[in-house]
Amino acid sequence: MRYTITTDATTAECGVEQTVLDALLRSGVWMPNSCNQGSCGTCKIRVQSGRVDHRASPLDTLPETERAAGFALACQATVLSDVVVANPAGGHRETNRLRDFSALVSAVVDVAAETRMIVLSLEEPLQFSAGQYVEIKVPGTDIRRQYSLANPPSDTQRLELHIRRRSGGIASDWWAFDAVRPGQRVDITGPLGDFSFDEDSAGPIVMLAGGTGLAPMKSILCQALASDGCREIVLYHGVRSRRELYDLDFYREMEEEYSGFRFVSCVSREAGGDRAGYVTEAFLGDIASAKNYTGYVCGSEVFVDSAVKALKRRRISPRRLHRERFSRAAPISA
Ligand code: FES
């Protein structure tokens, strides 16, 4: 059985087990989304008519009062009838269509302590925006995990993932650091997320990345420099120890090629890197005002919170501040 979802400007079909977000993104209709796990609230919509099942929507993100007022989380809710929803994105905006596809593992490289780069080769090109992520079905399991894409969208034949080992993690330990093999086929859904390069922005860019939060920054950096090779961009990368730094040769080459680009590695718990201490300290020491900057922040929840605070102290405009939090993955059954 299929129902319809009507938004301000379009109508999409939705299966009974399909979430509202999944149905809209697969139809090429943009809707804000970030975690796809019910925890961020980015995909909140107002149901104007029809019935939805809130499924696993957490009460923290969608309290009873909001449910009673007709709100729903598009990434969790399924439909029980034809529905009309107000899309917070407003109007009709085309997006990279969400789809299922498979890819082959083509390379597995240890790039730093407890950090791997896994490269997947694609049979068909994937259209995505720099900064977005994909969901990988961990081979041999029904578990899905989210990974940002580090390659630029122009790189149509491969996907590059940066994975940090988390002890006991089904994907970030067992698969990525043990079971993965070149030639292995991986099922993927994507692209997802609204952390992406702002094509309409102008002026300088500041990027603050913690750990493997560097992955989407690499994609955004390449995209930004491809559209304006003279743009002033500074990328701060924070790690705890020197052994966690990676991809340094790539960023040094980018500095040589693009005179407006600067890469600053920050090591917080020992000597090493370009700066001792935290990314936020380096940024606050270097930039007196971020008023005309576009900012990108990616890393753990703690890292993102402190980086956002630092950018606000330097008066960055909220509409030019883009952030992505890596949260502990909640298992998502296939
Ligand atoms: S709560 Fe739906 S995308 Fe985060």
Side-chain angles (χ1 to χ4, degrees):
M1 177 179 276
R2 297 185 79 74
Y3 293 115
T4 59
I5 303 171
T6 303
T7 70
D8 316 4
T10 191
T11 296
E13 287 208 342
C14 185
V16 286
E17 290 298 321
Q18 201 174 8
T19 66
V20 172
L21 181 67
D22 190 90
L24 290 174
L25 294 181
R26 282 179 196 272
S27 307
V29 179
W30 173 244
M31 169 158 291
N33 69 98
S34 181
C35 70
N36 277 284
Q37 295 180 3
S39 57
C40 72
T42 307
C43 65
K44 208 169 278 183
I45 49 169
R46 185 172 205 137
V47 182
Q48 296 172 319
S49 72
R51 291 181 305 123
V52 298
D53 182 342
H54 295 292
R55 297 274 173 121
S57 302
L59 282 169
D60 292 358
T61 322
L62 189 71
E64 290 294 358
T65 47
E66 290 192 356
R67 293 169 199 231
F71 289 98
L73 297 178
C75 74
Q76 301 298 309
T78 54
V79 297
L80 300 170
S81 68
D82 291 342
V83 296
V84 177
V85 303
N87 183 344
H92 182 84
R93 182 178 140 201
E94 292 284 334
T95 189
N96 302 308
R97 265 174 204 269
L98 179 69
R99 65 184 176 90
D100 303 316
F101 56 99
S102 68
L104 294 179
V105 175
S106 58
V108 179
V109 186
D110 288 311
V111 290
E114 308 289 337
T115 308
R116 277 195 159 173
M117 181 184 291
I118 294 182
V119 180
L120 303 162
S121 62
L122 294 172
E123 281 151 12
E124 286 173 40
L126 176 71
Q127 290 202 317
F128 67 98
S129 300
Q132 287 193 293
Y133 68 86
V134 293
E135 254 179 31
I136 289 198
K137 182 165 174 281
V138 181
T141 77
D142 285 339
I143 300 292
R144 292 175 181 270
R145 290 291 183 261
Q146 301 170 340
Y147 294 105
S148 294
L149 299 174
N151 52 296
S154 56
D155 208 350
T156 56
Q157 296 303 314
R158 65 190 275 281
L159 302 180
E160 179 182 320
L161 316 178
H162 300 170
I163 304 181
R164 169 128 181 111
R165 189 199 291 261
R166 287 185 197 276
S167 187
I170 191 82
S172 55
D173 193 350
W174 173 74
W175 177 63
F177 288 84
D178 184 9
V180 67
R181 297 282 181 273
Q184 188 175 45
R185 184 169 292 277
V186 181
D187 293 325
I188 302 174
T189 300
L192 287 157
D194 57 5
F195 181 70
S196 60
F197 175 56
D198 181 354
E199 301 277 354
D200 299 326
S201 67
I205 293 175
V206 60
M207 311 170 99
L208 276 57
T212 50
L214 191 57
M217 300 302 196
K218 187 176 182 182
S219 182
I220 290 171
L221 173 72
C222 292
Q223 185 74 2
L225 289 173
S227 54
D228 177 0
C230 298
R231 199 149 179 189
E232 189 189 322
I233 303 176
V234 57
L235 167 53
Y236 295 91
H237 181 216
V239 294
R240 284 166 298 186
S241 70
R242 288 188 307 273
R243 298 171 61 241
E244 295 169 70
L245 290 171
Y246 69 98
D247 246 359
L248 291 175
D249 290 348
F250 170 81
Y251 292 105
R252 296 305 172 213
E253 278 170 27
M254 294 295 271
E255 283 181 321
E256 279 185 18
E257 191 172 346
Y258 298 97
S259 58
F261 172 60
R262 202 156 53 89
F263 178 79
V264 183
S265 58
C266 305
V267 179
S268 62
R269 292 196 186 162
E270 61 183 27
D274 298 314
R275 306 281 178 83
Y278 294 104
V279 157
T280 45
E281 295 166 340
F283 159 72
L284 288 168
D286 289 350
I287 298 178
S289 169
K291 258 186 180 170
N292 60 339
Y293 278 72
T294 299
Y296 298 91
V297 175
C298 184
S300 67
E301 296 203 20
V302 173
F303 177 87
V304 170
D305 288 346
S306 68
V308 165
K309 213 176 276 179
L311 284 159
K312 285 183 175 169
R313 263 179 74 185
R314 289 294 182 260
R315 300 184 176 278
I316 195 162
S317 162
R319 68 186 168 79
R320 286 206 295 263
L321 174 52
H322 308 273
R323 69 195 86 176
E324 179 87 310
R325 286 182 165 78
F326 286 170
S327 49
R328 280 249 173 216
I332 305 167
S333 296

